[in-house]
Amino acid sequence: MLIFAAMSAEEKVSLKNIASHCKEYGFIYQSSEIYDGLSAAYDYGPNGVLLKNNIKDYWWRAMVQMHDNIVGIDASIFMHPTTWKASGHVDVFNDPLIDNKDSKKRYRADVLIEDQIAKIQGKINKETVKAAKRFGESFDEDQFLTTNPRVLKYREQIKTIEDRMRSAMDSGNLEEVRQLIVDLEIADPVSGSRNWTDVRQFNLMFSTELGSVTEGASTIYLRPETAQGIFVNYLNVQKTSRMKPPFGIAQIGKAFRNEIIARQFIFRMREFEQMEMQFFVQPGSEMEWYEHWKEKRMNWHKGLGLGEDRYRFHDHLNLAHYANAACDIEFNFPMGFKELEGIHSRTDFDLSSHEEYSGKKLQYFDQQENLSYVPYVVETSIGLDRMFLAILSAAYTEEKLEDGSERSVLQIPPVLAPNKVSVLPLVNKDGLPEVAEKIVGELKFDFDLQYDVKDAIGRRYRRQDAIGTPYCVTIDHQTLEDETVTIRERDSMNQERIKIQSISNKLQEKVDLKHLLKSV
Ligand code: ATP
C-alpha cells in the first residue's frame, strides 16, 4: 500500500501525542499511577525497557568496546557526604525560586523569564508564517528575519531580556532577577496574579539519613550526577586497569535532582539516568580532546539517521566554575531546540578539590617525561531518558494511506527498535502456527521478537508499526509448499517473499549494531 501523506512540518508532533502513544503501547507509564501518579517520575514498560537497553548498548559499545583506552565502572549512588562539598554541589547546585503569594505556586524564576522570551519568539514565528504565505515561492526567510521592522523590534526585546537575566544570574543578584519579572509584568500562569515573593536559592540535591537516628545518623545525598563516582575512583581504575592519560572512564547510572519545574514529560525528571564518560588528559592538551569529543559525539548521534538538521551545537559563553570550555549538543524536540548532551572541559577542578578535601594524592606520574600532574578532564554527559525522548520525537509519525486509512508508525532506527521482527501466522490453523513457532524457536536466540496470532493480519501489522518493529514475517499456506515467507518492511510497507533460511541474514543486515559502530 502506498503512503499518501505523512505529517507535514507544521503538523509537528506534540509531546502530548508522544506521551499518550508511549502509554498506550507499553513504553512509559506515570510512576505510581494508581495513586494518581508522582510528578516527574516515570516507569518504563515492556517496550520502553527494550528500547532503553538498546540505547545504552549503543552508547556503551561505542565508548568502551570501541576504545582500548576507555573502561567502565558502576559506582554506588550513595557517596561520602564530603564528596558533594568538594564537588561544589552543597554550595552552588541551586536554582533561583520564586513563589506567587496568591496561588502559593512555586516557580523557577529563570524559567518564568525564559517562557516570556518564548512568547516573543512565538510572535516572530507567527509573523514569519504569515509572510511566507503572502510572498509564496519568492519568500526569503533569512532576509525577512533580518529586515522586517516588527521582527527586529521583537528580537531587540529578546536580547535586552537575555542580557539582563544573564548579568543578574552571573552576579547572583536575585533582587534584579525579581525586578526583571516585575518589569516584564509576568503573571502567574495559573492565577494570573503578579504578587511575587523574593527570589531565593534552592539546592537541588535530595538528602536522606544514613543509619538509625539513635546511632547518630548523618545526612547523605542521592547523587545529582554520576561523574563524582568516577572522579573518586580515578586512581583505583587507573592503577588496576594500568591506564595512562589520555584514557577514559565510562558509566551509566541513575542521578537525582529535586527539579522545581519538572515538566515536558521525560525531558526533565527528578530521577533519571545519565551516560557519562570522563576522559583524563595531560594539562595543556584538553582543548584538542574537547574538539575531538565534540566531533565524535555528534557523529554518534548523526549515525542514527534521525535527520542531520535536528542537531546543533550551543557553545556556553558563561562557563560553570569548573570549566574552561563547554557546549551542548541540542536536539530539535517538539518544544524546540533543547540540550540533549553536554560536553565540558572541566580542567583539574574535581580531582584537585578531592585531593584537598580527602588529603589523598590523585596525581599521575608520567615516567617517560618524569612528570607528576593532576590530569585535566574532558567529559561527555548525556541523559538516557532525553535520548529516548529524542528518538521518539523523530520516530513518531502519523500517515494517511492510499486507501484512506491511517496509521501511527514509530520509525525507530532498526538497530534500536524494541523488537526486531514479529512472526505472524496468517491464520491460527492449518499447521501455520506450528511453522511459525519453529521459526520463533530459531530467531529468538539472536533477536528480540514478538509472536502474534490474534486478529486480522492488517491489524497485527498496525500494532507492530506502532511499536516500531522494523520487520514482520508472515507464514501462509504457500509456506507449507515451498518454505518461503513474506517479509514486510515497516516504513515502506514493501513485501517480498524469501526463504525461511534467509530470514536471519536479512534481519542481521539491518539490525546488527556492528554496521552502525563501524560507521561512526
Ligand atoms: P538542564 O540545563 O536541562 O537542566 P544541565 O545542564 O543541568 O541540564 P547536566 O548537568 O550537564 O545538565 O547533565 C547532563 C545531561 O543529563 C543533560 O544534558 C541531560 O541530558 C541530562 N539531564 C540533566 N538533568 C536532567 C533531568 N532533570 N531529567 C532528565 N535528564 C536530565
Side-chain angles (χ1 to χ4, degrees):
M1 194 176 318
L2 283 177
I3 300 163
F4 194 61
M7 242 172 331
S8 72
E10 294 86 64
E11 300 167 306
K12 237 174 82 173
V13 52
S14 75
L15 271 188
K16 237 181 171 173
N17 298 141
I18 295 176
S20 63
H21 191 88
C22 278
K23 181 173 174 202
E24 189 176 347
Y25 289 98
F27 283 85
I28 297 174
Y29 317 116
Q30 176 78 59
S31 161
S32 346
E33 199 191 68
I34 59 166
Y35 294 106
D36 294 336
L38 180 71
S39 75
Y42 291 92
D43 299 338
Y44 285 82
N47 287 318
V49 75
L50 289 173
L51 173 55
K52 204 173 171 195
N53 284 342
N54 292 341
I55 300 171
K56 283 193 214 178
D57 198 33
Y58 176 39
W59 185 88
W60 187 266
R61 288 173 64 180
M63 280 296 178
V64 180
Q65 193 178 342
M66 293 296 109
H67 294 95
D68 54 15
N69 62 347
I70 299 183
V71 288
I73 65 162
D74 184 14
S76 68
I77 287 169
F78 290 139
M79 300 182 72
H80 192 285
T82 312
T83 310
W84 306 110
K85 195 74 196 148
S87 67
H89 284 83
V90 171
D91 297 320
V92 297
F93 195 53
N94 298 320
D95 273 346
L97 290 192
I98 191 165
D99 292 287
N100 186 278
K101 289 184 193 163
D102 296 326
S103 71
K104 307 275 183 265
K105 290 265 175 209
R106 177 166 291 178
Y107 299 94
R108 251 176 76 173
D110 55 333
V111 172
L112 283 180
I113 298 168
E114 271 165 16
D115 285 352
Q116 190 71 11
I117 293 174
K119 271 189 199 155
I120 305 175
Q121 184 59 47
K123 288 183 188 169
I124 297 180
N125 297 349
K126 251 194 198 151
E127 294 284 344
T128 314
V129 171
K130 246 175 28 198
K133 267 199 193 132
R134 193 158 12 107
F135 292 111
E137 297 231 318
S138 64
F139 182 61
D140 179 339
E141 187 170 326
D142 281 343
Q143 194 191 353
F144 178 77
L145 289 175
T146 47
T147 54
N148 179 276
R150 231 174 287 160
V151 170
L152 291 180
K153 193 184 84 193
Y154 290 140
R155 284 185 139 185
E156 187 53 38
Q157 281 174 5
I158 291 178
K159 189 172 174 319
T160 311
I161 299 172
E162 281 178 341
D163 287 350
R164 261 184 84 182
M165 176 160 89
R166 196 168 299 141
S167 107
M169 297 286 283
D170 285 353
S171 59
N173 186 348
L174 299 181
E175 249 168 62
E176 167 66 2
V177 177
R178 181 179 190 278
Q179 195 54 48
L180 186 53
I181 289 174
V182 172
D183 292 349
L184 293 172
E185 299 183 356
I186 296 176
D188 178 346
V190 177
S191 66
S193 147
R194 296 195 176 93
N195 195 4
W196 296 109
T197 62
D198 288 341
V199 178
R200 288 168 297 119
Q201 291 290 16
F202 175 85
N203 195 285
L204 294 182
M205 282 196 293
F206 284 102
S207 62
T208 184
E209 302 285 297
L210 184 75
S212 76
V213 179
T214 45
E215 282 166 10
S218 65
T219 300
I220 57 167
Y221 300 100
L222 296 185
R223 66 180 177 198
E225 63 175 24
T226 53
Q228 298 304 325
I230 288 180
F231 292 129
V232 299
N233 276 301
Y234 150 75
L235 213 53
N236 281 337
V237 176
Q238 186 264 316
K239 286 196 170 143
T240 53
S241 306
R242 298 166 53 242
M243 288 284 163
K244 57 178 199 178
F247 81 96
I249 306 178
Q251 177 172 217
I252 300 176
K254 290 262 181 170
F256 304 83
R257 296 182 186 179
N258 198 359
E259 302 275 5
I260 303 310
I261 312 285
R263 53 179 191 183
Q264 299 177 323
F265 193 32
I266 55 170
F267 181 81
R268 192 173 297 287
M269 301 155 87
R270 297 204 168 100
E271 172 183 342
F272 58 101
E273 227 164 328
Q274 288 186 315
M275 305 191 284
E276 294 200 298
M277 193 279 296
Q278 271 70 33
F279 201 69
F280 300 86
V281 306
Q282 189 168 348
S285 66
E286 73 273 14
M287 281 309 155
E288 219 173 282
W289 286 110
Y290 172 69
E291 292 303 329
H292 171 88
W293 282 110
K294 267 178 84 168
E295 190 188 329
K296 270 242 158 187
R297 293 304 302 147
M298 190 58 111
N299 288 346
W300 182 89
H301 285 287
K302 290 189 171 169
L304 284 174
L306 301 180
E308 305 234 330
D309 55 356
R310 282 187 174 267
Y311 304 89
R312 71 181 187 198
F313 281 115
H314 168 74
D315 291 314
H316 290 201
L317 299 177
N318 298 302
L319 296 171
H321 57 285
Y322 52 76
N324 67 356
C327 71
D328 300 332
I329 293 178
E330 292 187 336
F331 185 82
N332 196 0
F333 289 99
M335 59 285 188
F337 274 97
K338 298 268 176 199
E339 172 176 346
L340 170 60
E341 169 159 8
I343 298 160
H344 312 127
S345 172
R346 284 179 87 125
T347 67
D348 60 353
F349 172 83
D350 301 270
L351 289 183
S352 295
S353 189
H354 287 304
E355 270 198 331
E356 192 187 324
Y357 277 83
S358 67
K360 308 266 163 45
K361 278 217 169 312
L362 295 176
Q363 306 205 339
Y364 175 74
F365 177 63
D366 187 330
Q367 282 180 329
Q368 262 164 5
E369 300 199 23
N370 194 24
L371 182 72
S372 207
Y373 59 83
V374 177
Y376 269 39
V377 171
V378 174
E379 76 172 1
T380 71
S381 173
I382 174 170
L384 174 55
D385 313 87
R386 269 192 206 176
M387 185 63 199
F388 192 109
L389 183 60
I391 291 167
L392 283 198
S393 310
Y396 181 79
T397 318
E398 302 268 3
E399 286 174 351
K400 271 204 172 54
L401 305 179
E402 204 185 18
D403 65 359
S405 64
E406 289 176 9
R407 71 165 183 162
S408 302
V409 51
L410 286 186
Q411 294 174 336
I412 300 175
V415 285
L416 299 183
N419 294 288
K420 307 306 183 199
V421 61
S422 176
V423 180
L424 314 169
L426 187 63
V427 288
N428 195 10
K429 56 182 184 184
D430 303 340
L432 302 188
E434 286 75 7
V435 179
E437 280 162 24
K438 224 171 127 200
I439 294 174
V440 167
E442 281 300 314
L443 293 180
K444 72 178 178 191
F445 290 99
D446 291 314
F447 307 101
D448 283 302
L449 55 76
Q450 287 202 342
Y451 174 68
D452 191 1
V453 285
K454 262 207 205 115
D455 296 329
I457 194 75
R459 289 187 69 172
R460 282 182 271 166
Y461 284 154
R462 292 289 171 274
R463 274 205 291 270
Q464 295 304 322
D465 290 342
I467 61 170
T469 309
Y471 290 103
C472 288
V473 162
T474 306
I475 290 89
D476 56 17
H477 293 94
Q478 194 184 325
T479 313
L480 302 177
E481 286 159 26
D482 61 7
E483 301 211 324
T484 63
V485 292
T486 46
I487 185 161
R488 169 191 181 269
E489 201 269 328
R490 177 193 68 199
D491 300 343
S492 63
M493 292 184 284
N494 285 340
Q495 302 193 9
E496 60 173 314
R497 264 205 109 81
I498 60 169
K499 284 273 180 203
I500 290 175
Q501 298 94 301
S502 28
I503 300 174
S504 183
N505 281 347
K506 173 95 185 161
L507 297 177
Q508 213 63 264
E509 265 170 47
K510 278 276 190 226
V511 307
D512 194 345
L513 201 48
K514 187 164 80 184
H515 305 303
L516 178 55
L517 289 170
K518 276 187 177 170
S519 73
V520 297

